[in-house]
């Protein structure tokens, strides 16, 4: 009897059993809008390494964030919770212990995973280093260049180098989870010098809604918002706009090279066939739409993000698929846990994407709730309006809690660029009433919002 017990222990500890648990690499960029990848249809920016992940996985065409700002969205990605549930409202607030105890890195480590993180943590408070096996991350924005052995190394290349080291140092029989948090393509838009000449001969056509008439039809509080202030600062002339967008694209090209280093390392170390890859961004980004720059608001450019999941263990049939379901940043945590065979905490607001990646047809969400309560200064030259709303597959309803007289209703099926606000159109009162009711139900079931930031300061 003792022989069989001993044999069972040996077998359970062997690589055969360890291989049953997949490893993970989660790539998270900063401020990357959904269409800024060639696998999402970009005609100029080429991202072959990320495209390869999509070709071997599932590309979600309707990926969104539930709050469009880096610190809060990254907290949602790690916790699987909406902002008012993970309680990180700004750049200075850390996860509380109860919330962090249910995050996917904590739970994976408890389940025997080697967990590492590199890059822009972006969440305030003391860094939770003790909860990771490998920690090389920072709470603030960080810098685009690192000094390594006296040499300047771009952030995206630095993350790739640290990832390669982490993968190489992980025993072959140990499952791992590596989280790579990029600075690109966040301001100040400093690409890798190897990409400095990319797109130099390209002439960029501004988006349709960059026409001044779309800005002019906005209410005053949006006209004076930080989105407009940043646009005037960053691209005050057509030539400045051309260079701004090219620098943005160049930063993403560097990310793609970094991703290629990571995937090549996985192959070299014989880990590629059992490592689930997830690629996303913490929020979208305006590039001139409505005269805006940056994110924060609930327009599509701000809340849409790329989201790709690749499980190499699946048969070839579902690979390269596109799914149109509305998927969210809060879905990433439960997805990773479900692949790892770890119970998803009831506190998570997201839903595992694993069935969608497996080409199943589960019952799925028909709407989601959006909120942005960070930094709602009343300084007209430095403000981000607080925003809430709901989005269905067809309709979007937006409210501004500090400007209750103004609401927005968009018919996304017939008006995907959100050119026409139908909130005051009597012909659409029925749709407006339905969306108001949906929004009211969500607000009622959720705890109160948690405003964050310091009024009047950046």
């Amino acid at each position: 009897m003792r022989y069989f017990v001993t044999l069972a222990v040996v077998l359970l500890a062997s690589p055969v059993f360890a291989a049953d648990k997949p490893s993970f690499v989660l790539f998270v960029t900063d401020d990357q809008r959904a269409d800024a990848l060639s696998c999402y249809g970009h005609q100029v920016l080429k991202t072959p390494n990320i495209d390869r992940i999509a070709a071997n996985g599932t590309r979600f065409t309707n990926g969104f964030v539930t709050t469009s700002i880096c610190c809060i969205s990254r907290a949602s990605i790690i916790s699987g919770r909406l902002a008012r549930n993970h309680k990180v409202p700004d750049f200075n607030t850390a996860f509380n212990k109860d919330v962090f105890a249910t995050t996917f890195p904590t739970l994976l480590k408890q389940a025997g995973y080697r967990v590492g993180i590199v890059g822009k943590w972006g969440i305030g408070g003391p860094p939770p280093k003790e909860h990771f096996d490998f920690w090389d991350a920072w709470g603030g924005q960080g810098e685009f260049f690192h000094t390594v052995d006296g040499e300047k190394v771009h952030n995206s290349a630095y993350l790739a180098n640290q990832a390669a080291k982490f993968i190489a140092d992980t025993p072959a029989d140990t499952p791992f989870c590596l989280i790579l948090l990029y600075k690109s393509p966040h301001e100040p838009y400093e690409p890798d010098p190897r990409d400095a000449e990319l797109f130099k001969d390209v002439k960029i056509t501004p988006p349709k809604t960059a026409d001044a008439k779309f800005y002019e039809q906005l209410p005053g509080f949006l006209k004076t918002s930080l989105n407009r202030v940043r646009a005037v600062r960053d691209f005050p002339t057509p030539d400045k706009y051309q260079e701004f967008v090219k620098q943005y694209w160049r930063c993403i090209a560097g990310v793609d090279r970094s991703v290629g280093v990571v995937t090549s390392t996985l192959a070299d170390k014989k880990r590629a066939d059992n490592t689930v890859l997830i690629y996303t961004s913490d929020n979208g980004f305006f590039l001139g739409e409505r005269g805006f720059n940056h994110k924060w608001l609930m327009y599509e450019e701000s809340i849409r993000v790329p989201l790709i999941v690749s499980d190499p263990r699946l048969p070839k049939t579902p690979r390269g698929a596109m799914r149109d379901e509305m998927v969210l940043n809060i879905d990433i945590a439960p997805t990773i846990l479900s692949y790892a065979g770890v119970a998803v905490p009831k506190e998570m607001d997201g839903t595992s994407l694993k069935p969608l990646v497996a080409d199943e047809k589960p019952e799925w969400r028909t709407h989601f709730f959006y909120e942005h309560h960070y930094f709602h200064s009343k300084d007209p030259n430095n403000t981000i309006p607080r925003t809430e709303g709901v989005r269905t597959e067809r309709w979007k309803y937006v409210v501004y809690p500090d400007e209750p007289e103004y609401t927005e209703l968009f018919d996304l099926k017939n008006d995907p660029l959100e050119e026409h606000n139908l909130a005051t159109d009597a012909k659409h009162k029925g749709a407006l009433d339905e969306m108001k009711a949906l929004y009211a139900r969500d607000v009622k079931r959720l705890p109160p919002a948690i405003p964050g930031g310091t009024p009047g300061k950046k």
Side-chain angles (χ1 to χ4, degrees):
M1 182 67 179
R2 182 180 302 171
Y3 167 80
F4 290 107
V5 172
T6 304
L7 178 62
V9 171
V10 171
L11 288 173
L12 286 171
S14 72
V16 174
F17 282 87
D20 291 340
K21 285 187 174 294
S23 292
F24 303 94
V25 178
L26 170 61
F27 305 92
V28 182
T29 55
D30 197 330
D31 285 0
Q32 184 177 4
R33 50 191 282 152
D35 58 5
L37 291 171
S38 45
C39 59
Y40 275 85
H42 203 286
Q43 297 300 304
V44 179
L45 173 61
K46 301 304 179 186
T47 51
N49 295 299
I50 300 166
D51 293 358
R52 198 169 298 115
I53 296 175
N56 287 293
T58 299
R59 174 167 57 90
F60 292 96
T61 60
N62 287 300
F64 299 93
V65 295
T66 52
T67 302
S68 184
I69 190 171
C70 55
C71 58
I72 299 171
S73 181
R74 288 174 187 235
S76 287
I77 290 169
I78 296 294
S79 69
R81 302 192 196 196
L82 295 167
R84 61 186 69 198
N85 287 333
H86 64 55
K87 303 175 184 177
V88 177
D90 53 36
F91 290 91
N92 299 316
T93 304
F95 277 120
N96 71 42
K97 291 182 179 180
D98 290 341
V99 172
F100 197 78
T102 64
T103 61
F104 80 82
T106 299
L107 296 174
L108 287 183
K109 184 170 171 56
Q110 292 173 357
Y113 274 74
R114 183 171 186 248
V115 182
I117 186 167
V118 184
K120 179 185 169 182
W121 174 242
I123 301 169
K129 297 180 181 180
E130 69 276 12
H131 297 282
F132 293 82
D133 299 289
F134 182 84
W135 175 278
D136 185 5
W138 42 92
Q141 296 293 348
E143 302 294 334
F144 260 115
F145 289 91
H146 304 252
T147 301
V148 180
D149 297 330
E151 299 290 332
K152 286 180 66 176
V153 179
H154 191 270
N155 174 264
S156 296
Y158 180 82
L159 264 62
N161 294 339
Q162 293 297 83
K165 182 178 186 303
F166 176 87
I167 294 166
D169 290 346
T170 302
D173 61 351
T174 301
F176 66 82
C177 178
L178 175 60
I179 306 165
L180 297 177
L181 302 170
Y182 289 83
K183 182 172 176 62
S184 289
H186 194 280
E187 66 177 356
Y189 314 105
E190 297 175 1
D192 190 306
R194 289 174 286 182
D195 302 315
E197 297 298 310
L198 285 177
F199 320 118
K200 65 177 182 177
D201 297 323
V202 173
K203 179 68 173 178
I204 300 167
T205 301
K208 178 182 179 182
T209 54
D211 189 289
K213 70 180 182 181
F214 294 99
Y215 169 75
E216 292 300 332
Q217 69 189 21
L218 295 171
F221 72 91
L222 289 177
K223 285 183 178 180
T224 58
S225 69
L226 193 58
N227 297 90
R228 180 59 177 174
V229 172
R230 292 287 178 85
V232 172
R233 180 198 71 180
D234 290 341
F235 38 82
T237 67
D239 287 345
K240 291 286 188 182
Y241 177 81
Q242 294 288 318
E243 184 59 19
F244 181 93
V245 178
K246 290 174 185 179
Q247 288 288 84
Y248 180 84
W249 292 351
R250 288 163 184 154
C251 287
I252 297 170
V255 171
D256 184 72
R257 183 187 300 109
S258 173
V259 169
V261 171
V262 176
T263 54
S264 294
T265 302
L266 289 170
D268 292 344
K269 299 301 179 182
K270 312 300 183 187
R271 304 299 296 251
D273 291 341
N274 197 38
T275 300
V276 175
L277 305 177
I278 302 175
Y279 184 96
T280 193
S281 180
D282 56 12
N283 49 253
F285 203 75
F286 294 109
L287 286 174
E289 292 87 356
R290 294 167 196 83
F292 288 162
N293 192 10
H294 283 257
K295 56 271 185 177
W296 310 309
L297 304 176
M298 199 183 166
Y299 297 110
E300 292 288 281
E301 298 86 3
S302 170
I303 66 174
R304 278 186 172 270
V305 292
L307 182 51
I308 304 167
V309 181
S310 176
D311 179 2
R313 304 166 304 162
L314 287 176
K316 292 184 177 180
T317 303
R319 298 191 196 179
M322 294 186 295
R323 298 293 298 235
D324 296 329
E325 289 87 350
M326 290 186 294
V327 296
L328 307 173
N329 55 346
I330 57 175
D331 295 333
I332 292 171
T335 299
I336 291 173
L337 292 177
S338 62
Y339 272 118
V342 177
V344 176
K346 66 182 187 306
E347 292 88 353
M348 287 189 176
D349 298 305
T351 302
S352 172
L353 303 174
K354 185 179 177 183
L356 300 180
V357 177
D359 201 28
E360 299 173 11
K361 299 184 185 299
E363 185 176 339
W364 201 252
R365 66 172 60 89
T366 56
H367 85 283
F368 70 90
F369 178 81
Y370 179 84
E371 61 179 329
H372 191 294
H373 291 277
Y374 173 76
F375 176 23
H376 47 96
S377 164
K378 288 299 182 180
D379 177 352
N381 296 313
N382 205 17
T383 182
I384 300 173
R386 290 201 303 146
T387 310
E388 290 184 350
V390 288
R391 188 195 190 280
T392 69
E393 294 173 341
R394 176 172 179 179
W395 297 96
K396 181 188 290 182
Y397 174 66
V398 186
V399 303
Y400 299 90
D402 299 316
E403 306 287 345
E405 72 286 351
Y406 183 77
T407 59
E408 292 172 316
L409 178 71
F410 296 108
D411 181 352
L412 300 170
K413 178 181 178 182
N414 297 305
D415 181 24
L417 298 182
E418 301 170 299
E419 299 177 56
H420 308 288
N421 180 11
L422 305 175
T424 59
D425 189 333
K427 292 185 295 184
H428 296 91
K429 186 179 184 303
L432 179 64
D433 289 343
E434 289 181 11
M435 294 299 286
K436 279 184 175 180
L438 188 61
Y439 167 73
R441 286 199 295 271
D442 275 357
V443 170
K444 184 177 181 179
R445 72 177 176 83
L446 292 169
I450 307 174
T454 303
K457 293 186 179 181
K458 181 176 177 181

